[in-house]
Amino acid sequence: MSPPLSQPSPTPDTLTPLRLKRVAIDTYRENVAYLHRECAIYRAEGFQALSKVEVRANGRRILATLNVVDDACIVGPDELGLSEDAFAQIGVPSEHPATVSQAEPPTSISALHRKIAGERLTHADYQAIVRDIVDHRYSKIELTAFVVATNQGELDREEVYDLTAAMAGVGRRLDWKAHPVVDKHCIGGIPGNRTSMLVVPIVAAHGMLCPKTSSRAITSPAGTADTMEVLANVEPPFERLQEIVHTHRGCLAWGGTSELSPADDVLISVERPLSIDSPGQMVASILSKKVAAGSTHLLLDIPVGPTAKVRTVPEAQRLRKLFEFVSRRMGLTIDVVITDGRQPIGYGIGPVLEARDVMRVLRNDPRAPHDLRQKSLRLAGRMLEFDPDVRGGEGYAIARDILESGRALERMQAIIEAQGARAFDPEHPDLAPLTFEVTAPQDGMVTGIDNLHLARIARLAGAPKVQGAGVDLLHKLGDTVKAGDTLYRVHAAFPTDLGFARQACERTSGFMLGSPADLTDLHVEF
Amino acid sequence: MSPPLSQPSPTPDTLTPLRLKRVAIDTYRENVAYLHRECAIYRAEGFQALSKVEVRANGRRILATLNVVDDACIVGPDELGLSEDAFAQIGVPSEHPATVSQAEPPTSISALHRKIAGERLTHADYQAIVRDIVDHRYSKIELTAFVVATNQGELDREEVYDLTAAMAGVGRRLDWKAHPVVDKHCIGGIPGNRTSMLVVPIVAAHGMLCPKTSSRAITSPAGTADTMEVLANVEPPFERLQEIVHTHRGCLAWGGTSELSPADDVLISVERPLSIDSPGQMVASILSKKVAAGSTHLLLDIPVGPTAKVRTVPEAQRLRKLFEFVSRRMGLTIDVVITDGRQPIGYGIGPVLEARDVMRVLRNDPRAPHDLRQKSLRLAGRMLEFDPDVRGGEGYAIARDILESGRALERMQAIIEAQGARAFDPEHPDLAPLTFEVTAPQDGMVTGIDNLHLARIARLAGAPKVQGAGVDLLHKLGDTVKAGDTLYRVHAAFPTDLGFARQACERTSGFMLGSPADLTDLHVEF
């Protein structure tokens, strides 16, 4: 109810400088400063362990959480220790003089309190909050408070726009000097859903500029960047990436969010452990990055299914409206498609297995997964229709022609070469050697496949860290199987991993077997 | 939207034990485990910095946040380092073998997610959450998420009861083998409000059992425990405290929340930095502690004023109803009084200054602050009426008689002696030597005094850490002053502190001067 009492930080001249020391402790995103308990300034200032302090050296300043040390081998009484990240941020050598003082509370803290109290915030409030977040002025506690207070239902659509605009405003912004600059994005949650690796070469082959950046896996067994990494280097220097995009009209690289959406990069550090992914935050996170990446047109894929992120079509429709509203305000052309998310896409789950599926589609190999091919062609078709010269409805046929003629494969190979090819033989993919199979307990039709459980099994098996690990599905929804038929095969590199994966499979296979009547249809576009 | 993927922690026998090492780093409430980057188990398990790990040694297990170390002087590749708190918790000697594994997510996490999503939780949910919190199974991020998700408006009164019952259920519970066991509590926010130190001796002198435990200052310049500490030891061993209470019918000791309400002790570690103090959390925190402390009757003081925690009388009424509802469900008799919180109570703000005021009231000294005396008598009167033999309305007269007859002073001196007297001369209180005065800029009547600002000045001056530091008010609401008259005097022990306090006073004195018409009356009980 009453606001916090802010401690003014004393002026530098009131402070005795300490000698800076790099403390070789990796505290991830959190800056930690280490002061010896006998340090004069510590005693004078009455710091507390976990107080937020401001460290100044050579004109630079960073904020850090204070840990108090009683071991001179870590820091001495006249030293100021910084965790590795913090030390890198302040960017001065060891032994350099530095001062430390109580950190002023971030100016946007009052806005945060109003949000916690359930009030509506203004455009200016979000600008201030995002600015403070990017400057690392928020503690983990304050970040979490912001994420939870702006969660589900707490933000109206105007606020979602304000947050998106603020997040897009603080990062670097790319300009491809072209129009349209097209991009596609899936809200995620569906294992094996590697359509970008097919859509990009098709759209690029058509001549549209499609500089696709993707994320690595966060809680999934593989992100597009992880799978592409099986085939090529996904982190070429930015200048090189620009050349590639201008030469080949497309790329498939790792996003490196930290530059394009630094606020998102910080927020994710608390959203991830809480697995909070509310509509407002999802929209702000995705659209701020797309705008910062210089996209003018976005095709957004919202998969729906009982084990997808979005469980029902009405929920997907609400999310679609929110994406449309904010995109319009951001000046971004968006086309939202609601797709079938009842099961994984393709056969493979895990980087190498997914790369195999993708290459089979590009090579028009009869063993290519039908669903991955169809979905990719449909998405590519919709994207092609961003081209004013393509008539509505013609996209799909053009996309199919580009794929079947081999021009998509050609373009993909060019992009792979340009980014830096990795040795990969789709005929003999380098799968993790240890395996076991999960079989059907009785005859029946596959009427359900649990995305979450299969993703979990693939992760326990070692994906994405172990590229060749994961799950290879032998059957999909609608298939009829006999008792003893193999439903899927698990690949792992280490016995421990294989053991964890087997434990998970023993609890439940993730497959539901039943009669055709149990296979409920989902009324989505595709 | 989708739940987090839980990693099963491997069984101990799959783990190579490490040698335990105490790392002399004070991380406050947060357990931190330090593993060397080259540690085999670290590489095998694929831990991440900041992952939650479970450390097992000698049958004990604790949870900790992982920091990764690159300096063998902190921990070697075959060692497992623990921060001081964590090392103490696991309670085995250095070098003792220990194992570390990914921590299972707390079982109540799904309930936390439902609350974050805005759902209502059940009695069982709150039991599970509070249990996990007390077991330190929640990370700072999860704790914050719980506190924010249960903030303002998010809890209905049944849920507040469920949370209170859960919090009262996990701690130790005192039984005074007496009835009634009376207590008083103020929700706080008013500097100098030391009524407990007058109410307790009066009520105890009347013969009611009043084992008062109080907190130390958190964000205020002094808590009752800090002020009492000027006069006596406030931390006698518990057995001694029981003797004192049975002999003298009362005590004024430090609460040591960690035993009586361990959940509150953990929650406060995030509520404090966020200065979140929502009605539901306030009620649960206060009532769970009172019930655990064995009180049967509680007098609750809710001060109202423009700079108090509660700003309006209607807000106070709502809070009162919530306290009454939950107390009834907890089987605690409560009497809530809404009081005048427009200005500090008494003259002194800071431990020694407040102790001086209290002793002057007890000694019936003409210099005693009138408002402190009156409020204490009224509160004591209401408490005395918890005694079935006292007729409604008679309490005040009885309290005044006990005070004026000197029996209150006598009882206070007995309690001070019993707890362990400290040298204190009310005629010559040991005030911090450095001072400056803040004077009236023009003639006028004092029409407003900012509680928050004066509390802040007293803190900057060094209170409560420096017992003799603080603010001494020379004028109160309704006083007429001339330009140049001293409004208040600031005491500090150190030049830096004095400087901070002066800076704050230069921004604004915290006093409003105006005409009698500006002095708005507040319609409260007293």
Side-chain angles (χ1 to χ4, degrees), chain B residues 144-183:
Chain B
T144 308
F146 177 71
V147 165
V148 173
T150 55
N151 188 49
Q152 204 105 27
E154 291 295 331
L155 291 185
D156 63 39
R157 61 187 202 172
E158 282 290 340
E159 287 185 282
V160 176
Y161 161 68
D162 290 334
L163 176 59
T164 308
M167 285 171 67
V170 287
R172 169 178 184 179
R173 197 160 181 149
L174 306 184
D175 179 0
W176 296 99
K177 309 257 189 303
H179 188 92
V181 177
V182 301
D183 198 352

Side-chain angles (χ1 to χ4, degrees), chain B residues 7-20:
Chain B
Q7 289 279 41
S9 47
T11 49
D13 60 290
T14 71
L15 299 172
T16 21
L18 299 163
R19 281 184 295 103
L20 209 59

